[in-house]
Amino acid sequence: MFEYLFQALTPINLMLAVVGVIAGVTIGGMPGLTATMAVAVLTPLTFTMPADSALIALAAIYMGAIYGGCYAAILANTPGTPSSIATTFDGYPMAKRGDGQMALSLATIASVTGGFLSVMALLLLAPPLAKVALAFGPPEYFWLAVLGLTLVASLSKGTLMKGLLGACLGLLISFTGSAVIGGDMRFTFDQPALVGGVNIIVALIGIFCIPVILDLVSSPDPHLEVNTGDKKGLRLREAFGHVWREKVNLLKSSGIGTLVGALPAAGGSVASLIAYSEARRSARNADEYGKGAPGGIIASESANNGTVGGGFIPTLVLGIPGTPPDAIILGALLVHGIRIGPDLFTEHSAVVYTFIFGLAIATLIMLPIGLFMGRYAFKAFVAIPKTLLVPGILLMTVLGTYAIHSSYADVVMMLALGLVAWILSRAGFAPAPIVLGVVLGAIAEQGFVQAWLIGSANNNLLGMYFGRPISLVIIGLIVLGLFYPLIMKRFKKKLMVIDNE
Amino acid sequence: MKFSRFSKIAVACVAAFSLGMASSAMAEWPKGDVTYITNFNPGGESDITARMQESTFKKVTGHGFIYQYRVGAGGAAGWAQLNRITSDGSAIMGINTPHIFLQPLAGNVGYKTEDVNVVYIFQLTPYALIVPAESPIKDLDDYIARAKAAPGTMTVAGTGTNSAPHVAKESFDYHADIKTTYIPFTGTAAASAALLGRQVQAQWAFTTAGVEQGDRVRLLGVAMEERHPLFPDVPTFKEKGIDFTGGARRGVAVPNGVSEEMRQEMSDVFAKVNQDPDLRKRMEDAGYVLLDIPYSEMAEYTRKLSEDYQQVARLLGMIK
């Protein structure tokens, strides 16, 4: 299969990888323009290319867009794509205190590593991983979403009650519209615009971005601290040092990303949230998470780029797209007359392996491109006066929101949610738990109801939720995550008692 | 989406151009490239269908398509805007059944079925009942026997509620006099994964799924009058004495302002496109069935469909 490596290295394929990554990073870096949108917009352009080149271009765009999301997350506390929600938790605090460039370097290294490892998994482990993905049924999705929701406990700065209330608000927002299961119209108030529910991107931009803009306007301070002296520049050596210290976290998060990406009903946002919560749980410096811990950025960014390679596993092995951009790429494959099936890896091996190598190359190219673009993104972001920055971001949020469905209703909804989120943030409610509720609510609800329906049909409700091996592992992680701090406290006290004797 | 703005400019140019032509040329449709609005994502079945048509459309008319997408609310976001698009014939919108009949029955979705002026219906994707290849369910008789032996224990996946697969499930169960449990999923990907992962025992989908999933699945039956040429061994439900045929249909619609004369011309063009042997082969290889309902017969056809879907809506419990 290595003969296809050279096919991936042809000038045209290399050029498409570079152009794809740059286009992806640019689109993904803008709040409101997501990886799905980047791929959807550029897909028709690839219909005239040969199949392998088209695939490489689309996958490079996808990889770039997922990575590009970190720019806005780190510099403006606004996830550029839903996949970088967890990157804001530590990325923005780092940027705020003057370590913005280093945060970008960390994110770049983690993204490239996570992406590359996931592509290697796609190359070497695709069939067994596809089997694992299929073993995830409704109860597993439910518990996975619950595991993600436990993050609320650690994300609610200040009081836990406010974090929980915020998450509930997020859950309510996620219920809006015609229910996937049952078809009931919920919280639509007879408005056609609400029938489709609140789009995740709309909620994301509104809840994260608008309060940031309003805060920028309401204080005279500069938007980011800028370090001068020896703390400026990309600080690559320092960044690599951090990554090396976090190597276990990096590998684990890349693995979580690859696996979650391979699950057809969960994507980059879920992967990065779960990787983040796992990194925080196992970190020695858990207290620093949320205040600018390098480990948080590494976990989130390696996991979300891990979903790219992971998502292609069910797409190529089963013809079932692992993530929404994969669905579009799968459609593009069909337009090229390539039918996904068990014989894809043998019958179309030239296309498939050329594509996988092309994606690996695109991922590696992302390191220099990312560091270069990140450097200028940072410089430009810092140099822009606030009076230009604020209207600029506002314009982008409106355009990005409008671009989702070409709908003014979405823009109104985004601004309304933003205003509510800003008022709530003044009252001490952080935006992260609300968004967590929106992102995970739908997955949790659907998993729960599907499991209930299947369990009732088989007359085995309890076994459905608590009798399946993967579910039990996830439940174990939830319990561990929630009670770990308590157990540790007990343990430490005991040690102290022993010491005193 | 971003490129829709480009398309709008393109539409404006085409419109301006065609206005200039109108005085000199005969009223023949189309006068330039046609904006083809799809209410589902690029790469989805509706988009693939439109793209399969383009080369033939070019052969017949000399003009191509400009693709635009208005995605949201299962297509409703687009149909709600149908009567706001230009009515000079330079733009058409894809339609899907049962969507345009069932969505307005579920609540206020921003349009009514009678607002959608269907000009031509060109395709049918027949319903199919599928199981994993290694499923213990041997055939359709076995499926029905198992469902009868333990009512409600058979779990069947599908996409969404009050959707095409849901319609298929309720109609089949009614005609076969069985009771099964429908498990709705968001999107085909999740439903197919649930089937292959054996989370459910069967899945209501379309003949196209049989093509896409290849030999990982078995079709128990298809909701067609005659067997599908790609699946000669798969019986129709009718053969088994279950009076259930149908599927999801695709066609094109125009806003109210388009003249009767132009609608007829559009219908004639799509009829010609559908006759092309190349197109027929490509569509059939992908699992679709071609259907020809011209504009002249549309009123009668949609009236009949509407009656059928009223009955289905009662089965689904959407209306009393």
Side-chain angles (χ1 to χ4, degrees):
Chain A
M1 69 193 181
F2 285 97
E3 65 265 31
Y4 302 118
L5 182 56
F6 298 104
Q7 182 63 29
L9 282 167
T10 57
I12 179 81
N13 284 348
L14 263 182
M15 189 199 75
L16 283 172
V18 172
V19 174
V21 165
I22 294 175
V25 173
T26 313
I27 297 180
M30 303 188 187
L33 303 185
T34 62
T36 311
M37 214 182 288
V39 175
V41 168
L42 299 171
T43 289
L45 298 182
T46 65
F47 284 151
T48 51
M49 299 175 189
D52 51 349
S53 305
L55 269 175
I56 290 175
L58 289 174
I61 292 164
Y62 181 14
M63 187 65 92
I66 294 283
Y67 158 68
C70 79
Y71 289 3
I74 290 170
L75 298 175
N77 198 25
T78 306
T81 72
S83 297
S84 47
I85 294 174
T87 310
T88 61
F89 302 159
D90 288 288
Y92 185 61
M94 274 186 95
K96 196 100 211 207
R97 70 173 184 230
D99 292 333
Q101 293 224 62
M102 200 189 34
L104 286 176
S105 298
L106 281 173
T108 310
I109 299 166
S111 293
V112 170
T113 316
F116 187 76
L117 289 177
S118 75
V119 177
M120 288 301 110
L122 170 66
L123 184 67
L124 304 170
L125 297 171
L129 279 175
K131 265 207 186 108
V132 175
L134 286 182
F136 270 72
E140 283 78 21
Y141 279 106
F142 167 66
W143 290 117
L144 202 63
V146 172
L147 175 62
L149 281 170
T150 56
L151 248 188
V152 169
S154 49
L155 285 177
S156 6
K157 293 163 190 162
T159 63
L160 180 61
M161 192 45 81
K162 281 183 178 168
L164 290 174
L165 279 173
C168 288
L169 178 67
L171 290 175
L172 287 181
I173 294 172
S174 82
F175 294 156
T176 310
S178 110
V180 173
I181 302 171
D184 317 75
M185 293 288 179
R186 301 182 297 189
F187 308 128
T188 55
F189 307 103
D190 209 30
Q191 294 297 311
L194 287 171
V195 170
V198 178
N199 185 288
I200 281 186
I201 320 297
V202 171
L204 209 62
I205 301 177
I207 294 169
F208 269 111
C209 210
I210 299 297
V212 170
I213 293 174
L214 292 174
D215 281 341
L216 281 175
V217 176
S218 60
S219 83
D221 308 330
H223 46 279
L224 286 182
E225 284 287 323
V226 184
N227 267 334
T228 44
D230 60 337
K231 286 280 184 192
K232 71 176 184 184
L234 289 168
R235 292 155 71 188
L236 266 182
R237 185 187 289 267
E238 209 180 324
F240 273 110
H242 278 301
V243 172
W244 183 248
R245 272 192 294 283
E246 298 279 349
K247 52 190 177 296
V248 178
N249 174 9
L250 181 68
L251 288 177
K252 199 162 57 176
S253 303
S254 304
I256 292 174
T258 307
L259 182 63
V260 175
L263 302 178
S269 51
V270 178
S272 64
L273 287 169
I274 288 182
Y276 183 90
S277 84
E278 173 53 26
R280 185 183 182 279
R281 187 193 63 75
S282 55
R284 245 170 277 155
N285 57 343
D287 295 343
E288 284 169 35
Y289 274 66
K291 293 171 198 151
I297 298 179
I298 292 170
S300 167
E301 281 301 310
S302 56
N304 66 25
N305 278 89
T307 60
V308 179
F312 278 112
I313 291 172
T315 314
L316 295 182
V317 177
L318 305 167
I320 296 173
T323 61
D326 290 327
I328 299 167
I329 295 174
L330 187 64
L333 268 178
L334 289 173
V335 172
H336 279 289
I338 294 177
R339 199 146 294 146
I340 305 281
D343 47 356
L344 178 77
F345 276 80
T346 46
E347 197 178 308
H348 294 287
S349 56
V351 172
V352 171
Y353 286 113
T354 307
F355 155 65
I356 295 177
F357 284 118
L359 179 56
I361 293 163
T363 312
L364 294 177
I365 290 175
M366 211 163 74
L367 186 66
I369 292 180
L371 290 173
F372 183 80
M373 288 178 80
R375 188 182 162 84
Y376 284 95
F378 179 80
K379 277 194 174 155
F381 194 82
V382 171
I384 293 175
K386 226 159 126 178
T387 44
L388 283 179
L389 185 71
V390 168
I393 300 183
L394 193 61
L395 183 70
M396 296 244 308
T397 58
V398 171
L399 283 181
T401 312
Y402 180 75
I404 303 167
H405 294 150
S406 313
S407 147
Y408 294 111
D410 280 348
V411 178
V412 175
M413 199 145 35
M414 182 273 287
L415 293 172
L417 281 173
L419 208 60
V420 171
W422 184 66
I423 294 167
L424 285 176
S425 76
R426 299 260 118 180
F429 290 89
I434 307 178
V435 165
L436 228 59
V438 179
V439 171
L440 299 171
I443 298 173
E445 186 207 355
Q446 283 166 28
F448 182 83
V449 184
Q450 284 158 353
W452 185 276
L453 287 171
I454 297 173
S456 317
N458 300 329
N459 226 343
N460 184 15
L461 263 185
L462 226 62
M464 197 66 200
Y465 290 105
F466 300 102
R468 297 161 55 111
I470 300 179
S471 286
L472 287 175
V473 172
I474 305 174
I475 294 171
L477 284 173
I478 295 169
V479 174
L480 202 65
L482 284 180
F483 297 104
Y484 189 71
L486 289 177
I487 299 167
M488 279 314 283
K489 240 184 210 165
R490 275 267 170 87
F491 191 64
K492 272 187 188 157
K493 256 188 197 159
K494 258 192 194 155
L495 278 180
M496 271 165 42
V497 173
I498 294 167
D499 273 359
N500 290 343
E501 285 169 358
Chain B
M1 282 183 191
K2 211 179 176 192
F3 54 92
S4 63
R5 282 192 286 277
F6 293 113
S7 313
K8 271 178 199 156
I9 296 168
V11 173
C13 294
V14 171
F17 181 62
S18 48
L19 276 178
M21 293 284 288
S23 50
S24 57
M26 280 271 289
E28 279 279 346
W29 186 83
K31 299 201 183 77
D33 285 357
V34 174
T35 301
Y36 198 138
I37 303 169
T38 300
N39 296 339
F40 297 90
N41 270 321
E45 280 194 0
S46 295
D47 184 42
I48 291 174
T49 302
R51 286 177 191 278
M52 280 184 181
Q53 288 174 324
E54 189 181 17
S55 58
T56 315
F57 187 84
K58 241 181 197 147
K59 234 190 296 179
V60 172
T61 67
H63 299 288
F65 292 146
I66 301 160
Y67 299 98
Q68 224 190 75
Y69 305 89
R70 299 201 179 171
V71 187
W79 293 309
Q81 292 173 25
L82 173 64
N83 278 308
R84 274 178 248 156
I85 67 174
T86 171
S87 56
D88 61 2
S90 63
I92 55 176
M93 186 181 272
I95 59 108
N96 304 59
T97 73
H99 311 54
I100 59 165
F101 290 94
L102 291 182
Q103 283 176 350
L105 291 177
N108 184 359
V109 289
Y111 74 95
K112 294 202 178 70
T113 305
E114 49 276 24
D115 295 338
V116 183
N117 308 297
V118 186
V119 171
Y120 201 87
I121 292 179
F122 44 69
Q123 187 198 68
L124 174 75
T125 328
Y127 297 126
L129 179 60
I130 60 182
V131 293
E134 68 278 22
S135 165
I137 301 170
K138 287 199 297 281
D139 51 24
L140 194 65
D141 295 328
D142 192 22
Y143 175 84
I144 294 172
R146 282 165 190 259
K148 281 214 164 123
T153 56
M154 181 73 77
T155 50
V156 197
T159 50
T161 299
N162 302 335
S163 57
H166 196 184
V167 166
K169 182 262 172 192
E170 290 298 340
S171 307
F172 179 86
D173 285 7
Y174 173 79
H175 288 294
D177 194 22
I178 56 170
K179 196 167 171 286
T180 58
T181 301
Y182 182 69
I183 316 287
F185 287 84
T186 328
T188 313
S192 301
L195 181 77
L196 293 183
R198 312 288 292 273
Q199 311 294 340
V200 292
Q201 286 155 282
Q203 182 188 358
W204 274 108
F206 304 100
T207 45
T208 46
V211 178
E212 283 151 22
Q213 294 294 328
D215 49 13
R216 280 186 300 260
V217 296
R218 277 188 288 128
L219 275 63
L220 294 184
V222 291
M224 298 171 65
E225 296 286 346
E226 282 157 35
R227 292 189 178 197
H228 195 288
L230 287 181
F231 309 103
D233 302 333
V234 177
T236 65
F237 297 134
K238 271 209 154 154
E239 285 173 43
K240 296 285 181 180
I242 297 155
D243 185 23
F244 168 51
T245 58
R249 293 167 189 81
R250 289 197 176 85
V252 283
V254 292
N256 290 330
V258 174
S259 70
E260 287 293 317
E261 193 190 5
M262 194 177 270
R263 292 181 196 188
Q264 191 54 54
E265 284 165 8
M266 289 176 175
S267 170
D268 293 346
V269 168
F270 275 98
K272 265 187 216 148
V273 170
N274 241 12
Q275 288 312 312
D276 184 63
D278 277 0
L279 177 100
R280 296 193 83 87
K281 181 163 182 343
R282 263 181 293 156
M283 291 260 187
E284 275 160 13
D285 283 352
Y288 300 104
V289 172
L290 287 149
L291 190 67
D292 286 283
I293 313 296
Y295 185 61
S296 51
E297 294 165 24
M298 197 57 70
E300 176 61 19
Y301 190 77
T302 47
R303 193 187 55 75
K304 172 95 192 16
L305 269 187
S306 182
E307 271 170 23
D308 290 352
Y309 284 124
Q310 292 280 335
Q311 202 180 345
V312 167
R314 267 187 286 274
L315 280 180
L316 293 169
M318 293 171 74
I319 50 174
K320 298 265 149 52

